[in-house]
Amino acid sequence: MADNCFKLKVFSPNRIFYEDDVEMIELTTTDGDMGIYKNHIPLTAIVAPGILRIHKNSEVKEATLVEGFLQILPDEVIVLSEACEWPWEIDVHRAEEAKIRAERRISSSDMNINLDRAEIALKKSLIRLSLAQKGK
């Protein structure tokens, strides 16, 4: 492992999404965007829907990252996520349908609609669509 690298492990319920040495990662937490280098102060945070940017060898890989938890140690970062996707794995049609459903729920006058859930669903679909467009 290079001197400025740390071990990144990203897990989703159905697979080990990523495991390698990296120089830096960027992601969104419920407290805002965060950049993490080796020897970061130990921390546990809640992951919010967003883009995970993995910096390694002057390259940046991007993936969607949905809610989960983050543990930062000096030489290792562990991310447990509800779902992770590389741009080529995103089902654009499904993401478009999820966006439309969420927009309908948000604009509905139905008092039984959970607006918070609808807004989160909309955000997730927009993140997926945005990353899928970049991957083209």
Side-chain angles (χ1 to χ4, degrees):
M1 176 164 54
D3 228 11
N4 63 338
C5 290
F6 61 90
K7 177 67 78 178
L8 172 63
K9 297 177 181 177
V10 181
F11 301 99
S12 68
N14 61 346
R15 65 180 168 163
I16 298 172
F17 181 75
Y18 188 89
E19 187 171 8
D20 203 355
D21 296 334
V22 301
E23 296 160 358
M24 176 189 176
I25 64 168
E26 298 173 82
L27 53 85
T28 303
T29 70
T30 55
D31 291 325
D33 292 338
M34 181 180 282
I36 302 164
Y37 289 96
K38 182 178 179 177
N39 295 321
H40 191 287
I41 186 169
L43 178 75
T44 301
I46 299 171
V47 174
I51 303 292
L52 170 65
R53 290 179 182 83
I54 302 169
H55 298 257
K56 180 179 178 170
N57 299 329
S58 302
E59 293 182 15
V60 179
K61 294 180 180 180
E62 293 184 320
T64 62
L65 192 60
V66 180
E67 298 139 327
F69 297 95
L70 165 71
Q71 180 184 30
I72 303 171
L73 302 170
D75 289 329
E76 181 178 62
V77 173
I78 300 169
V79 179
L80 303 174
S81 179
E82 181 183 302
C84 312
E85 295 172 296
W86 297 111
W88 58 87
E89 295 175 325
I90 296 170
D91 182 337
V92 175
H93 179 70
R94 189 172 139 233
E96 279 286 349
E97 288 178 347
K99 176 181 172 263
I100 292 166
R101 279 192 310 274
E103 289 172 336
R104 283 185 189 146
R105 287 195 311 255
I106 290 169
S107 64
S108 172
S109 59
D110 185 349
M111 297 301 287
N112 295 321
I113 300 269
N114 183 329
L115 282 179
D116 290 337
R117 285 187 62 199
E119 288 171 357
I120 290 170
L122 178 60
K123 184 174 183 176
K124 289 177 188 178
S125 64
L126 291 174
I127 290 165
R128 285 185 170 110
L129 291 168
S130 170
L131 190 59
Q133 290 295 334
K134 280 184 180 181
K136 286 185 177 181

